[in-house]
C-alpha cells in the first residue's frame, strides 16, 4: 500500500491493520466508499476480502460468488424460527411452481373443507409428519402450509420422503384425507450440454485436510502441491491447466472435536494448525485460485450456515493473494470463453443423519452417499429434515438450493467418488488424514489422498491418487 493511500484511509477515519499494509489496494477511493456504505471503520485482511476480493477477474476468466453467508446474526426466538421456516417454505414453493411450469391448481390447506367428496385436490405443503401404516403398508403424511394441516395417504412407500420437505401432491378427497396419486419434489433441472470451443480448464476438489493431526498425510499433500507446481511429469498436461482448487472444509483437525483427540494431534494450537496450512498453500502458483470454506473441525460455530474462516484463528491464510473465502454451504459461478458453470459446495456434516435414519443407506457406501446427495438435490435443500444438522434460524434460508448446479461437491465422510444426477456432477472429495482411533472404532476406512478433478469445459471428470510416490488415476471412483 502506498503511503498516500494509507494517509487517505486514515484521513477518512479508517484504522488500517498491519495485515494489509503491504497489499495492493487498487482503487482506494472505491474502497473507502464501500467501507462507509457498510459502516466499516477497521481495515483488516478479512474486511479487505469482503469488500473487494469476492469477484476474481483474470482476462476472460471470472469467479463470481453467489450463495455466501457473511455472518448475519440469527434470532433464536420463537418468532425467529417462524420467520426462518416461512422463508424456507416460500423459496421451495416457488421452486416447485417454477419446475411444474405453473401448470397446477394448488389450493391452501384451509380451503380443502370446501372441496366436495371425491373431487381432485392439489396442495403444496411441508411434511410435518410421515409414517407407514403397519397393516396395509400405506404412507401416511401430514402436510402443512401457513393456513393449516391435513392428512394425505399414498399407496406406495417412498423412503426418500422425509420430514420438512416441501412437496406438491395431487389426489382425491375421501372423508378427511387426500388419497394422493401424484407426488412431486422441487428437484433440480437437467442441465443440457452444448458443444463449445473453449480451452480445457480444470477444477480440483479437496476437503478434510486435517492439518495438525498426527495422522495428517503431509507427504502426500506436499506431493499434490508439487504436482500443481509442475514439479512432476505425471499428468503435467492437467496440472498446468488447473485454475481452481477447492478446499471444502475441515482444513485443520482442530482441538477438542472428539474424545481424546489431543493424543492424536501433532500441533495442539489451532492457530498454529492454520499457520502450517498457510505455509503449504503459499507454495501453490498464484495464477491458481483457492476457494476456502469451513467444516465442523474448523474454528467456527458448528451450526449451518457457517461463515467464512475467522481471521482471529486463520489470519495468515488471508495473506494468500489467490484465495477466496466463502461460507459453508456456498456457491459460485465460473465463466470463461462462453462457458458458465455453477458450483455448489457443502462440507457434508448433515449427510450422516440420513445414513443413520434411512435404512438402505446405513452401510455408508459411496453409492449411499451419492444417493443422499441426490436426495438433497431433489429436495432443493442441503438439510431437508430439520435436525439433520444444527441450523442458524435466519430470516433467509441459505441452505435452499436455489439454482441447479453443474457440480455439487461435498466432503466429511472421507470417501472419494464421482457420480452424476441429471447431468450434475456429484463429488465427494476424499481426505488427507489416515484412519484415526475414533474412525477405527466405528468401522470407518478413509480413502486418503485422492483428488477429484473436473474439466469445466465439458464436465468430464476423474480422480488422481496421490497416496503413493507415483501419481495414478484412482480406479473404481466412478459410480
Amino acid at each position: 500500500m502506498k503511503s498516500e493511500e494509507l494517509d487517505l484511509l486514515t484521513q477518512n477515519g479508517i484504522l488500517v491493520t498491519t495485515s494489509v499494509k503491504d497489499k495492493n489496494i487498487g482503487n482506494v477511493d472505491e474502497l473507502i466508499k464501500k467501507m462507509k456504505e457498510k459502516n466499516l471503520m477497521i481495515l483488516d485482511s478479512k474486511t479487505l476480502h469482503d469488500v473487494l476480493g469476492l469477484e476474481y477477474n483474470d482476462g476472460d476468466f471470472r469467479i463470481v460468488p453467489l450463495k455466501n453467508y457473511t455472518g448475519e446474526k440469527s434470532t433464536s426466538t420463537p418468532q425467529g424460527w417462524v420467520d426462518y421456516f416461512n422463508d424456507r417454505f416460500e423459496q421451495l414453493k416457488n421452486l416447485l411452481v417454477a419446475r411444474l411450469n405453473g401448470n397446477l391448481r394448488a389450493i391452501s390447506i384451509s380451503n380443502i373443507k370446501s372441496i366436495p367428496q371425491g373431487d381432485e385436490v392439489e396442495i403444496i405443503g411441508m411434511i410435518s409428519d410421515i409414517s407407514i401404516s403397519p397393516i396395509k403398508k400405506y404412507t401416511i403424511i401430514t402436510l402443512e402450509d401457513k393456513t393449516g394441516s391435513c392428512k394425505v395417504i399414498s399407496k406406495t412407500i417412498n423412503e426418500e420422503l422425509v420430514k420438512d420437505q416441501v412437496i406438491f401432491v395431487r389426489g382425491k378427497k375421501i372423508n378427511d384425507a387426500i388419497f394422493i396419486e401424484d407426488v412431486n419434489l422441487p428437484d433440480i433441472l437437467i442441465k443440457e450440454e452444448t458443444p463449445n470451443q473453449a480451452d480445457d480448464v480444470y477444477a480440483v476438489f479437496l476437503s478434510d485436510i486435517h492439518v495438525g493431526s498426527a495422522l495428517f498425510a503431509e507427504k502426500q499433500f506436499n506431493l499434490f502441491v508439487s504436482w500443481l507446481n509442475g514439479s512432476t511429469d505425471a499428468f503435467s498436461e492437467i496440472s498446468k491447466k488447473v485454475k481452481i482448487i477447492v478446499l471444502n472444509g475441515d482444513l485443520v483437525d482442530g482441538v477438542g472435536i472428539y474424545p481424546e483427540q489431543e493424543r492424536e494431534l501433532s500441533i495442539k494450537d489451532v492457530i498454529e494448525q492454520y499457520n502450517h496450512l498457510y505455509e503449504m498453500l503459499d507454495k501453490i502458483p498464484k495464477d491458481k485460485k483457492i476457494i476456502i470454506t469451513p467444516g465442523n473441525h474448523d474454528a467456527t460455530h458448528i451450526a449451518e450456515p457457517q461463515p467464512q474462516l475467522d481471521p482471529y484463528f486463520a489470519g495468515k491464510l488471508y495473506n494468500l493473494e489467490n484465495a477466496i473465502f466463502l461460507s459453508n454451504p456456498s456457491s459460485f459461478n465460473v465463466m470463461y470463453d462462453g462457458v458458465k458453470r455453477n458450483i455448489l459446495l457443502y462440507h457434508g456434516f448433515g449427510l450422516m443423519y440420513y445414513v443413520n435414519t434411512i435404512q438402505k443407506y446405513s452401510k455408508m457406501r459411496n453409492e449411499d452417499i451419492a444417493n443422499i446427495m441426490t436426495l438433497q438435490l431433489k429436495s432443493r435443500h442441503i438439510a431437508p429434515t430439520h435436525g439433520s444438522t444444527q441450523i442458524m434460524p435466519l430470516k433467509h434460508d441459505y441452505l435452499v438450493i436455489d439454482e441447479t448446479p453443474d457440480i455439487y461437491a461435498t466432503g466429511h465422510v472421507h470417501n472419494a467418488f464421482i457420480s452424476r444426477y441429471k447431468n450434475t456432477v456429484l463429488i465427494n472429495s476424499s481426505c488427507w488424514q489416515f484412519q484415526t482411533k475414533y474412525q477405527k472404532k466405528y468401522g470407518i476406512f478413509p480413502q486418503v489422498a485422492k483428488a477429484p478433478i473436473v474439466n469445466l469445459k465439458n464436465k468430464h471428470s476423474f480422480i488422481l491418487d496421490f497416496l503413493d510416490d507415483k501419481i495414478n488415476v484412482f480406479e473404481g471412483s466412478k459410480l
Side-chain angles (χ1 to χ4, degrees):
M1 184 184 302
K2 298 177 181 178
S3 59
E4 54 266 31
E5 293 174 335
L6 180 59
D7 290 341
L8 188 56
L9 287 163
T10 303
Q11 290 166 15
N12 280 270
I14 295 173
L15 176 64
V16 181
T17 66
T18 55
S19 64
V20 297
K21 285 185 176 179
D22 61 344
K23 292 187 179 296
N24 181 16
I25 298 298
N27 189 337
V28 69
D29 292 323
E30 185 67 18
L31 172 63
I32 291 170
K33 178 184 174 182
K34 289 183 177 180
M35 289 188 68
K36 287 186 174 181
E37 288 173 352
K38 297 175 180 290
N39 293 317
L40 299 171
M41 302 310 295
I42 299 176
L43 181 60
D44 56 16
S45 54
K46 181 179 184 298
T47 301
L48 183 64
H49 174 269
D50 289 348
V51 175
L52 293 183
L54 283 180
E55 183 168 331
Y56 170 75
N57 293 274
D58 181 11
D60 189 42
F61 187 83
R62 295 176 61 209
I63 298 174
V64 182
L66 301 172
K67 184 190 298 291
N68 184 37
Y69 167 66
T70 57
E72 170 194 347
K73 291 183 179 179
S74 67
T75 53
S76 190
T77 62
Q79 187 59 47
W81 285 106
V82 170
D83 292 342
Y84 165 79
F85 273 103
N86 279 339
D87 179 77
R88 172 177 174 154
F89 178 75
E90 287 299 324
Q91 286 194 66
L92 294 173
K93 177 182 176 181
N94 291 337
L95 289 170
L96 257 172
V97 171
R99 176 176 172 257
L100 297 172
N101 297 317
N103 186 25
L104 68 170
R105 296 173 285 108
I107 63 171
S108 298
I109 288 175
S110 63
N111 291 329
I112 294 175
K113 59 179 177 289
S114 63
I115 301 297
Q117 291 290 325
D119 278 13
E120 186 176 86
V121 180
E122 295 181 358
I123 307 167
I124 293 177
M126 181 179 287
I127 299 175
S128 63
D129 192 32
I130 186 166
S131 60
I132 306 299
S133 168
I135 301 175
K136 294 189 177 181
K137 301 300 181 184
Y138 288 178
T139 303
I140 304 171
I141 302 169
T142 302
L143 276 185
E144 63 180 3
D145 65 11
K146 294 179 181 180
T147 69
S149 63
C150 68
K151 295 286 186 184
V152 300
I153 298 173
S154 171
K155 293 182 180 179
T156 60
I157 297 174
N158 185 344
E159 284 189 84
E160 292 187 342
L161 287 180
V162 297
K163 283 184 179 181
D164 303 315
Q165 285 172 320
V166 175
I167 61 174
F168 167 80
V169 298
R170 180 187 292 115
K172 290 184 178 180
K173 179 180 176 180
I174 299 176
N175 296 324
D176 294 327
I178 309 299
F179 282 76
I180 57 176
E181 305 152 0
D182 192 16
V183 178
N184 283 277
L185 290 162
D187 212 342
I188 60 170
L189 306 175
I190 298 175
K191 283 216 166 181
E192 300 291 348
E193 288 296 303
T194 55
N196 64 74
Q197 301 301 315
D199 293 334
D200 293 327
V201 170
Y202 293 93
V204 185
F205 294 85
L206 275 59
S207 69
D208 300 273
I209 316 299
H210 290 281
V211 173
S213 168
L215 297 165
F216 169 46
E218 186 160 5
K219 175 184 175 183
Q220 289 77 8
F221 193 79
N222 284 329
L223 176 61
F224 169 73
V225 173
S226 295
W227 174 74
L228 289 174
N229 277 287
S231 300
T232 174
D233 292 334
F235 302 97
S236 59
E237 73 282 3
I238 303 296
S239 64
K240 65 186 178 183
K241 295 178 182 178
V242 170
K243 292 281 284 184
I244 296 175
I245 302 109
V246 171
L247 303 183
N248 198 6
D250 281 6
L251 310 181
V252 299
D253 207 43
V255 177
I257 306 297
Y258 60 86
E260 299 184 350
Q261 180 193 19
E262 65 278 4
R263 297 183 180 181
E264 295 183 330
L265 290 177
S266 60
I267 304 174
K268 298 186 179 182
D269 182 297
V270 69
I271 294 177
E272 290 304 318
Q273 291 177 3
Y274 283 114
N275 289 348
H276 188 50
L277 175 63
Y278 165 80
E279 292 170 1
M280 293 181 287
L281 297 183
D282 193 40
K283 298 174 184 176
I284 293 175
K286 298 304 181 279
D287 64 333
K288 303 179 190 299
K289 295 301 287 186
I290 307 172
I291 311 294
I292 297 177
T293 68
N296 56 292
H297 276 252
D298 286 299
T300 183
H301 58 69
I302 199 169
E304 297 170 0
Q306 295 175 298
Q308 64 197 56
L309 292 176
D310 188 336
Y312 177 83
F313 298 101
K316 212 163 185 183
L317 291 179
Y318 281 86
N319 291 329
L320 294 168
E321 61 185 71
N322 54 334
I324 294 177
F325 297 86
L326 299 178
S327 64
N328 171 45
S330 57
S331 66
F332 61 95
N333 280 341
V334 179
M335 292 168 282
Y336 76 100
D337 291 345
V339 174
K340 180 180 178 181
R341 299 298 182 197
N342 177 269
I343 300 176
L344 174 63
L345 304 178
Y346 174 54
H347 176 65
F349 186 75
L351 296 173
M352 295 305 298
Y353 173 87
Y354 301 97
V355 170
N356 295 326
T357 57
I358 299 179
Q359 180 62 35
K360 63 182 179 180
Y361 301 147
S362 61
K363 294 182 179 179
M364 209 173 79
R365 299 163 298 192
N366 283 350
E367 55 265 37
D368 296 327
I369 302 302
N371 285 330
I372 294 169
M373 293 170 66
T374 298
L375 170 63
Q376 293 172 316
L377 294 175
K378 288 179 177 179
S379 305
R380 298 295 286 267
H381 204 277
I382 294 295
T385 299
H386 182 67
S388 58
T389 187
Q390 293 184 38
I391 296 291
M392 293 274 286
L394 301 165
K395 290 185 178 180
H396 177 75
D397 187 356
Y398 286 85
L399 276 64
V400 171
I401 302 171
D402 47 12
E403 185 172 342
T404 296
D406 291 283
I407 301 168
Y408 174 32
T410 63
H412 188 66
V413 298
H414 291 210
N415 286 352
F417 67 76
I418 296 173
S419 184
R420 287 206 181 211
Y421 172 66
K422 287 191 172 182
N423 206 31
T424 292
V425 179
L426 309 182
I427 292 172
N428 194 270
S429 48
S430 178
C431 66
W432 299 80
Q433 179 189 43
F434 295 107
Q435 188 185 44
T436 66
K437 290 181 180 179
Y438 181 81
Q439 292 170 335
K440 188 174 183 179
K441 178 180 177 180
Y442 289 96
I444 299 171
F445 298 93
Q447 294 176 312
V448 181
K450 314 293 186 279
I453 300 173
V454 180
N455 187 341
L456 298 177
K457 172 183 176 178
N458 49 29
K459 297 199 288 194
H460 290 174
S461 53
F462 56 96
I463 298 180
L464 290 184
D465 190 345
F466 292 85
L467 185 60
D468 299 320
D469 292 337
K470 184 178 179 182
I471 303 170
N472 294 297
V473 173
F474 180 51
E475 301 295 341
S477 59
K478 292 196 175 183
L479 304 181

